[in-house]
Amino acid sequence: MTTRTGPEDAPPAYDPSRFPAFAVTVDVVILTMVNATLKVLLVRRGEAPFQGMWAIPGGFKRPNETLDGAAKRELAEETGVDAASLLTQFGAYGDPGRDPRMNVVTVGYLAVLRDVGAIVAGTDAADAALFPVSDVLNETLELAFDHQRIVRDAIDRVRVELEVTGIATAFVGTTFTLAELRTVYEAIWGVQLDAANFRRSVVSDDGWVIPTGGRARPGPAGGRPAELYQAGRAWRHGGPIHRSPAGRRDEVTR
Amino acid sequence: MTTRTGPEDAPPAYDPSRFPAFAVTVDVVILTMVNATLKVLLVRRGEAPFQGMWAIPGGFKRPNETLDGAAKRELAEETGVDAASLLTQFGAYGDPGRDPRMNVVTVGYLAVLRDVGAIVAGTDAADAALFPVSDVLNETLELAFDHQRIVRDAIDRVRVELEVTGIATAFVGTTFTLAELRTVYEAIWGVQLDAANFRRSVVSDDGWVIPTGGRARPGPAGGRPAELYQAGRAWRHGGPIHRSPAGRRDEVTR
DNA sequence: CCTGTTCTGGTCGTCACGACTCTTACACTA
DNA sequence: TAGTGTAAGAGTCGTGACGACCAGAACAGG
């Protein structure tokens, strides 16, 4: 990493054999959709500092594993889910004092899951729960460490990923209706999408979704049952739905 | 960072008081445009490992500085430039064995500068030089550590930033012609843009660029002198030039 | 004055997309 | 079994962005 080794570039304290020691952790922002609302999985801290406060799940990176591997392991330990496909790194955080105990640099990962509700219920419900992302963004809920900023960055990232990758399909089940998929976009971008136009964009013979032939059960109010689809293979080339310029500008202005 | 402290979550080796120690470094991918070609600043390693090979400039993070601060400091040490505005983090790298000496996690930063040619000439030309980015991408030039991957990720990032931020103006001077600005897009995206259409997109009364009234000196072959512009304040809301869907698809397929 | 080169401005066709309307299909109830 | 309500599926139209292409303007140099 060091490049030139002139005296001004390598003071004694930064000799490679005596580098400053850091703890490296991996924090995972686990997102899911519940009732057309974007939620984040938080755990309650059992010890100081920030004892009793809610935080993002995470843990130390081990020397013999990669960062991606550490994130995958933490996700599995917290939820039991082995979802390596949708685990993307979005940032590193190393402000001095962010952990009062020691020098910690953490790497943030974004995970998108479905059916986390059942998973959380399976664990001890007292120290793991789903919270609306809006509660974190508008500071209704205060988080430990700098986790508020980390969650905020994760949301910014998922908003972009939604436009350029197939991350939307990770929020829904293996089969889904177009209305379900549409609520994902609407909840994450905070916009209203015309159902007809959405359908035309997604079903446009490009292989975004594949009809399964099945039909969903209508809601309690009746209505025509929606067709069931499964994700196609075209999502790796950028998603079919794009934000309107007005909407994007709003987000930046926000 | 640790969340629950059950016995399975906290093996003795990962007690907070005895965390695994890592060195944390910051590596800066410094990009600039020379003769309509995208170049990256590399330095030659003076010591093992990878002695004599070219690498990205970087160095250890100090405990009392932020990651952004460390990147800013490294950039200043290498180039003397204090360009905090366009220094963006794009990834963290911590594969075991990426540095044979010890456990190192590095955070990659992207810096965009102009006039690096003069800066490099000012330093010892033997151990710092500009290389075409294409030489790194197609593996004509082999880099130390995993720096090839880091540069590749940085290029991926700058291609996206070019579309959604005003990073293009960082490659040109305070005043510039539209042709200069166009070559930035063409070099980074590897496309050809119609000069007339490019002009229309940029000068569309949105404040992307502000005419200064001055005119550039024509090239050696003559021609009409181009008007000089300076960057407007609208770039923070997303850039005016967007890739064609075909071009974006090519990049993913690549 | 002529020519070559580059910038600047204009036109046109295409296509993606949003707004809007209508039809279809099913559940539920009387 | 007929009627009603609801939501999905399908069509239409207008607008706006953008790329391809062309023409004029401005300057250097011979």
Side-chain angles (χ1 to χ4, degrees):
Chain A
M1 307 295 98
T2 51
T3 54
R4 287 176 295 173
T5 52
E8 74 285 357
D9 285 6
Y14 294 95
D15 183 275
S17 61
R18 284 184 51 193
F19 59 88
F22 288 88
V24 174
T25 60
V26 170
D27 289 344
V28 186
V29 177
I30 302 171
L31 300 178
T32 191
M33 293 283 301
V34 178
N35 294 335
T37 306
L38 186 63
K39 305 230 177 185
V40 59
L41 176 67
L42 300 177
V43 295
R44 191 188 287 273
R45 285 187 55 80
E47 57 186 32
F50 301 103
Q51 184 171 11
M53 289 185 67
W54 294 95
I56 312 166
F60 290 103
K61 171 189 181 314
R62 299 175 182 170
N64 61 342
E65 71 185 350
T66 65
L67 287 167
D68 288 10
K72 195 170 164 181
R73 175 176 54 79
E74 289 295 331
L75 176 64
E77 287 178 2
E78 290 292 335
T79 66
V81 175
D82 185 14
S85 58
L86 274 161
L87 197 63
T88 58
Q89 177 190 309
F90 64 86
Y93 303 85
D95 283 7
R98 62 177 297 276
D99 188 321
R101 294 167 295 179
M102 51 185 166
N103 295 320
V104 178
V105 170
T106 197
V107 179
Y109 275 81
L110 170 68
V112 175
L113 296 183
R114 58 189 176 88
D115 295 338
V116 181
I119 293 167
V120 174
T123 68
D124 186 352
D127 62 357
L130 292 174
F131 291 87
V133 165
S134 57
D135 286 359
V136 178
L137 293 186
N138 62 22
E139 312 193 15
T140 302
L141 180 68
E142 198 179 355
L143 300 188
F145 302 104
D146 52 357
H147 286 189
Q148 153 130 4
R149 178 185 166 197
I150 295 178
V151 170
R152 189 181 295 274
D153 290 352
I155 300 304
D156 286 349
R157 177 60 167 264
V158 78
R159 281 205 250 253
V160 175
E161 295 267 320
L162 195 64
E163 191 165 5
V164 299
T165 74
I167 202 173
T169 57
F171 283 95
V172 295
T174 53
T175 72
F176 50 88
T177 69
L178 295 185
E180 287 174 345
L181 192 63
R182 182 164 44 86
T183 61
V184 173
Y185 285 90
E186 291 177 336
I188 294 179
W189 285 345
V191 296
Q192 284 273 93
L193 296 178
D194 183 87
N197 295 329
F198 181 86
R199 174 186 177 77
R200 204 155 6 89
S201 298
V202 173
V203 193
S204 62
D205 72 357
D206 287 68
W208 303 116
V209 293
I210 303 168
T212 65
R215 307 188 87 90
R217 254 202 16 227
R224 174 177 173 175
E227 299 179 13
L228 283 175
Y229 294 87
Q230 58 187 14
R233 296 162 299 297
W235 292 87
R236 291 287 154 192
H237 299 347
I241 305 295
H242 300 278
R243 276 183 282 189
S244 69
R248 196 179 319 181
R249 194 151 304 174
D250 286 347
E251 178 194 333
V252 177
T253 313
R254 159 177 61 85
Chain B
M1 306 299 98
T2 50
T3 55
R4 288 176 294 174
T5 52
E8 73 287 357
D9 284 5
Y14 295 95
D15 183 276
S17 61
R18 285 185 49 195
F19 59 88
F22 287 87
V24 174
T25 61
V26 170
D27 289 344
V28 186
V29 178
I30 302 171
L31 299 178
T32 191
M33 293 283 300
V34 177
N35 294 335
T37 306
L38 186 63
K39 304 229 177 187
V40 59
L41 177 66
L42 300 177
V43 294
R44 192 190 287 273
R45 286 186 56 79
E47 56 186 31
F50 300 103
Q51 185 170 10
M53 288 184 68
W54 293 96
I56 312 166
F60 289 104
K61 171 190 182 315
R62 298 174 181 169
N64 60 341
E65 70 184 351
T66 65
L67 287 167
D68 289 10
K72 196 170 164 181
R73 175 176 54 78
E74 289 294 332
L75 176 64
E77 288 178 2
E78 291 292 335
T79 66
V81 175
D82 186 13
S85 58
L86 274 161
L87 198 61
T88 58
Q89 176 189 310
F90 65 86
Y93 303 85
D95 284 6
R98 63 175 295 277
D99 188 321
R101 294 168 296 180
M102 50 186 166
N103 295 320
V104 178
V105 171
T106 197
V107 179
Y109 275 80
L110 171 67
V112 175
L113 297 184
R114 58 188 178 87
D115 294 339
V116 181
I119 293 166
V120 173
T123 68
D124 187 353
D127 64 356
L130 292 174
F131 290 87
V133 166
S134 56
D135 285 359
V136 178
L137 293 185
N138 61 22
E139 311 194 16
T140 301
L141 180 67
E142 199 179 354
L143 300 188
F145 301 105
D146 52 357
H147 286 189
Q148 152 127 7
R149 178 186 165 196
I150 295 178
V151 171
R152 188 182 296 274
D153 290 352
I155 300 303
D156 286 349
R157 177 60 167 266
V158 79
R159 281 204 249 252
V160 176
E161 296 267 321
L162 195 64
E163 191 165 8
V164 300
T165 75
I167 202 175
T169 58
F171 282 95
V172 295
T174 53
T175 73
F176 50 88
T177 69
L178 294 184
E180 287 174 346
L181 192 63
R182 183 163 44 87
T183 60
V184 172
Y185 286 88
E186 291 177 334
I188 294 179
W189 284 346
V191 296
Q192 283 274 90
L193 296 178
D194 182 88
N197 294 330
F198 181 85
R199 174 187 177 78
R200 210 191 346 271
S201 298
V202 173
V203 192
S204 62
D205 72 356
D206 287 67
W208 304 117
V209 293
I210 304 169
T212 64
R215 307 188 88 88
R217 255 200 17 226
R224 175 177 175 176
E227 298 178 14
L228 284 175
Y229 294 87
Q230 57 187 13
R233 295 161 298 296
W235 291 87
R236 292 287 154 192
H237 298 347
I241 305 295
H242 299 279
R243 278 183 282 189
S244 67
R248 196 178 320 180
R249 195 151 303 174
D250 286 348
E251 179 194 334
V252 178
T253 312
R254 157 177 64 84

